[in-house]
Amino acid sequence: MTAATRRPAPPGPATRKTAGTGHAACHHGEILQGVFLDERHRPCHGLVTLPMTGRGSTARFTHLPGTSPDRVTVTPGGRTKARAAAVLAAGECAERRGEEPCGGELTLTGDLPLGLGMGSSTSDVIATVRAVADSWGLLLPPETIARLAVRAEGASDPLMHGARPLLFAQREGRVLEALGSALPPAVVIGCAVGGGEPVDTLSLPAPAPARDDDLTAYEHLRRMLRRAVTDADTALLGRVSTASARLRQRVLRHEEFPALTRIADSVGAAGVQIAHSGNVAGILFDPRAPGLKRRLRRCAQALDREGIEPTRTFTTFAPATSEEFPHGRTHLGSRRPAGPDTPRRQPPLPAL
């Protein structure tokens, strides 16, 4: 065990607190999702999410020493993945402490809609793992959280790693490639397609075996995205996200997709992005382009005319918040002070 995974001089069982809190942000669907070659040149499913700050899940966990490890109650009920994550995290923390695992009480709060492809279940799971660890006086590294998240829900988004653009193997819980420190600057008008109805991801068809032409296409998009991040090229980011969304239409068909691409072209947007397993979508703009406010207004009006509801406006250059600096008393020491090179907060854009 290293100092990075636990607090210095942790309190003993008699004095350690039994309640902890954790937080995790959400995302707004994917920029890129498909099949890629890993470091051993094996086909591997992976994705790059579009981070969105300001919303997410918060968990509070109270562990109850002496109870069965499987005795975990969850409020609200029905959050089976979060409950599984709590059991797994309690076992992990107990092992690190050299103690017996136990059950506890988990309470989840948040403002994420379920089943729209915004990572609500992963946000619940990550917040839960962080809360359980906090209750044990531990700070688990992102790699451990990812491993537990995949065990709890079968596949996970890379929210435990913060807002950095990562190509992430969602079924294996590992980073295939760190693309850079931040996505190119973009302003996103979010919207709901499919009537804003939840998508049952379990009912989606199983991924077909990777074909050579799929691997070629997705590796090409990977190289394009890598260059977009390096050059802060918003136009290239939009080309990648639009191409990925178009390829995904073979699995999850959005009737509004042609309208979204048509609107993006008509208002001079960089491109579109969608949740590859949900019903949120966005139209991306370069904030450096002239007439941005006019373009955003025209875009919202065009969406309304198509019967597509605009939901929110956000940016890719918002400062990192709770997903990189989790809540809870155990985690307070990990907050980094702002330095002279810390970017200024961009003025907030109004919700639509």
Side-chain angles (χ1 to χ4, degrees):
M1 187 182 301
T2 65
T5 61
R6 60 182 294 177
R7 300 174 65 191
T15 59
R16 189 178 65 243
K17 63 176 181 173
T18 59
T21 58
H23 181 81
C26 68
H27 62 80
H28 198 267
E30 285 72 36
I31 290 291
L32 175 62
Q33 181 169 341
V35 183
F36 307 89
L37 295 177
D38 67 6
E39 68 280 1
R40 297 181 182 179
H41 297 280
R42 299 175 303 183
C44 182
H45 290 274
L47 53 79
V48 180
T49 56
L50 177 61
M52 188 179 76
T53 59
R55 307 184 85 176
S57 299
T58 298
R60 179 176 177 82
F61 183 81
T62 302
H63 72 263
L64 304 174
T67 60
S68 167
D70 291 332
R71 186 193 176 281
V72 174
T73 61
V74 185
T75 304
R79 305 291 178 89
T80 56
K81 295 177 181 177
R83 182 187 180 282
V87 173
L88 292 169
E92 178 79 22
C93 293
E95 182 179 355
R96 288 171 180 254
R97 284 288 188 186
E99 301 174 15
E100 290 296 321
C102 63
E105 298 172 347
L106 173 65
T107 301
L108 292 165
T109 57
D111 54 2
L112 291 179
L114 303 180
L116 292 187
M118 297 179 69
S120 59
S121 61
T122 295
S123 184
D124 280 351
V125 164
I126 295 173
T128 295
V129 173
R130 286 174 170 167
V132 173
D134 189 44
S135 75
W136 285 81
L138 295 171
L139 179 61
L140 299 178
E143 294 78 12
T144 300
I145 298 176
R147 171 170 55 81
L148 296 175
V150 169
R151 288 182 62 190
E153 57 174 338
S156 174
D157 298 310
L159 301 174
M160 70 291 294
H161 288 282
R164 292 179 300 148
L166 303 173
L167 181 59
F168 187 75
Q170 68 270 30
R171 292 182 174 86
E172 301 176 22
R174 63 189 180 99
V175 176
L176 297 176
E177 181 180 354
L179 297 165
S181 59
L183 286 173
V187 178
V188 185
I189 290 188
C191 59
V193 296
E197 292 295 322
V199 172
D200 180 8
T201 55
L202 297 178
S203 67
L204 295 177
R211 304 180 314 217
D212 288 344
D213 54 346
D214 287 334
L215 283 168
T216 300
Y218 284 117
E219 282 295 327
H220 178 62
L221 291 177
R222 176 184 187 172
R223 291 190 295 270
M224 289 174 63
L225 183 56
R226 187 187 298 139
R227 188 167 76 249
V229 171
T230 299
D231 298 341
D233 189 334
T234 307
L236 190 55
L237 174 72
R239 288 171 56 193
V240 171
S241 64
T242 303
S244 180
R246 182 171 286 112
L247 286 169
R248 185 61 176 176
Q249 296 308 299
R250 297 182 302 188
V251 178
L252 183 60
R253 296 184 180 277
H254 297 89
E255 293 182 0
E256 301 91 340
F257 183 71
L260 291 176
T261 55
R262 186 169 61 250
I263 291 171
D265 290 341
S266 69
V267 299
V272 303
Q273 62 86 212
I274 61 170
H276 285 53
S277 58
N279 277 334
V280 293
I283 298 182
L284 283 63
F285 293 83
D286 189 334
R288 300 159 295 195
L292 176 63
K293 290 184 178 179
R294 175 177 52 83
R295 294 172 190 265
L296 295 175
R297 185 167 55 249
R298 287 175 54 205
C299 179
Q301 292 169 347
L303 288 170
D304 277 332
R305 287 194 297 270
E306 293 285 348
I308 303 173
E309 179 187 3
T311 53
R312 60 188 60 83
T313 305
F314 63 99
T315 71
T316 60
F317 49 79
T321 54
S322 53
E323 71 270 28
E324 291 190 322
F325 306 114
H327 291 183
R329 286 170 288 177
T330 298
H331 308 110
L332 293 180
S334 67
R335 292 181 181 272
R336 296 177 296 187
D341 58 344
T342 303
R344 293 181 177 271
R345 176 185 292 270
Q346 297 288 340
L349 292 166
L352 292 173

